[in-house]
Amino acid sequence: MLTINPKDVSVPVIHHYLQGAVAPRPIAFASTVDKDGNVNLSPFSFFNLFGTKPPTLIFSPNRRVRDATNKHTLENVQEVDEVVINMVDYAMVEQMSLASCEYPKGTNEFVKAGFTEVPSQLVKPPRVGESKAVFECKVKQIISLGEEGGAANLIICEVILAHFSEDILDENGRIDQRKTDWVARMGGDWYARASGDALFEIPKPSIQKGIGVDSIPDFIKTNPLFTGNELGRLGNIEKLPQAEEVEGFKNENLEKDFIQLAKKMLVEGKVKDAWLALLARQG
């Protein structure tokens, strides 16, 4: 393992490692206005969801690494405590990147990047018409974490109105992840696209507790055929199949390699069947 103490390296060096490892990061495409009504639009990947009551988003326009100056977005929310956070999908990622250029103060990046200004309903900054999910926010608090280049400025926002394009919703009006095409920031010039084969589901533990990897027999845990993810999947089952189920499964599959069959079942997401095969093998 490469070990780095942030105090022993320059800001650009630790910046590189942090952005490359803490990824992918969602992008807050933030529209703001200054006290004179000038519009600014800029993306920030130091951003996430932090609460739902009240609905809370936090993003950070860090001080510029090269000269420790503040970004126009921060100056604007200090003057007008409102912001619209527009989510970014693949269809708009190149325009979003163009808007990240450091244009002079007063430049409208909606115009520069070719986006459509849509009036917001409860706040002064406009919405990005091309965005599939938009949050009108009040700025509740700004926390400065330093005066040097790279220092964070946490902008804590309460969502007071949300907008979602109908073409990403299912028949019940909820977001269908299969209809979205979000992009996220990686390190350097890299991005990630969350769609198609990049999407996958993992059953989420609920009130019931999984048996845990520590309850899996050693002949399974020590078998190199099974990955850590597969052991986690096996450990997420609430209870093991009953003996009569195992016996029935065993009688129906007498000529099969139970270990290979369990592996196949895990790949297909059939966790109970995988356990039936493994317990048949153990028996």
Side-chain angles (χ1 to χ4, degrees):
M1 296 288 287
L2 171 66
T3 301
I4 295 177
N5 186 329
K7 296 179 181 178
D8 296 336
V9 298
S10 67
V11 173
V13 169
I14 194 62
H15 184 83
H16 162 81
Y17 283 105
L18 288 172
Q19 287 198 322
V22 185
R25 301 180 304 281
I27 301 168
F29 203 18
S31 47
T32 57
V33 296
D34 64 16
K35 64 181 187 302
D36 297 319
N38 296 308
V39 174
N40 181 268
L41 179 64
S42 187
F44 300 94
S45 69
F46 292 172
F47 160 65
N48 221 310
L49 166 68
F50 286 86
T52 52
K53 190 170 179 63
T56 302
L57 306 176
I58 302 178
F59 73 101
S60 177
N62 290 7
R63 286 180 176 268
R64 296 183 179 91
V65 171
R66 67 175 182 276
D67 58 10
T69 56
N70 283 324
K71 296 180 179 178
H72 300 144
T73 298
L74 176 63
E75 296 171 351
N76 285 359
V77 297
Q78 289 172 333
E79 295 178 1
V80 178
D81 59 352
E82 299 174 344
V83 60
V84 176
I85 294 179
N86 309 273
M87 301 307 295
V88 178
D89 70 357
Y90 187 75
M92 57 189 285
V93 67
E94 296 278 358
Q95 289 173 275
M96 177 276 300
S97 179
L98 177 59
S100 70
C101 293
E102 293 185 6
Y103 293 111
K105 185 172 175 59
T107 300
N108 186 336
E109 286 83 3
F110 276 88
V111 176
K112 281 290 184 184
F115 284 115
T116 304
E117 280 191 45
V118 177
S120 296
Q121 294 177 226
L122 300 180
V123 297
K124 296 182 181 66
R127 296 152 44 194
V128 174
E130 290 75 9
S131 179
K132 302 290 187 181
V134 179
F135 305 99
E136 298 185 24
C137 303
K138 288 288 291 184
V139 175
K140 307 300 291 184
Q141 189 176 3
I142 302 172
I143 302 176
S144 173
L145 298 181
E147 302 295 325
E148 298 181 359
N153 294 289
L154 304 183
I155 300 179
I156 302 174
C157 308
E158 180 180 345
V159 177
I160 59 174
L161 199 63
H163 310 271
F164 304 100
S165 176
E166 292 188 4
D167 61 8
I168 65 169
L169 304 180
D170 62 18
E171 62 276 8
N172 299 313
R174 299 174 68 88
I175 294 176
D176 184 342
Q177 297 295 175
R178 295 165 297 185
K179 293 182 177 181
T180 61
D181 198 6
W182 307 126
V183 294
R185 199 73 168 84
M186 306 288 283
D189 291 339
W190 290 93
Y191 289 80
R193 185 177 183 180
S195 62
D197 291 341
L199 298 179
F200 58 94
E201 292 182 281
I202 298 176
K204 185 177 181 180
S206 55
I207 297 174
Q208 294 78 22
K209 297 179 177 64
I211 63 170
V213 172
D214 57 334
S215 297
I216 299 175
D218 286 340
F219 83 91
I220 303 171
K221 289 192 290 188
T222 58
N223 191 321
L225 186 65
F226 300 110
T227 67
N229 278 336
E230 288 167 342
L231 292 178
R233 196 171 301 164
L234 289 169
N236 195 33
I237 198 168
E238 182 186 355
K239 60 182 180 180
L240 296 179
Q242 298 296 311
E244 57 269 22
E245 293 181 276
V246 176
E247 191 62 27
F249 184 91
K250 185 175 182 180
N251 292 334
E252 293 173 7
N253 298 276
L254 287 175
E255 303 300 321
K256 295 183 178 177
D257 182 327
F258 287 121
I259 293 293
Q260 291 293 340
L261 182 57
K263 176 75 175 183
K264 179 176 181 293
M265 294 296 101
L266 282 172
V267 170
E268 294 176 359
K270 300 175 181 177
V271 180
K272 183 177 179 180
D273 288 341
W275 266 114
L276 286 170
L278 290 168
L279 294 174
R281 160 67 172 75
Q282 185 181 35

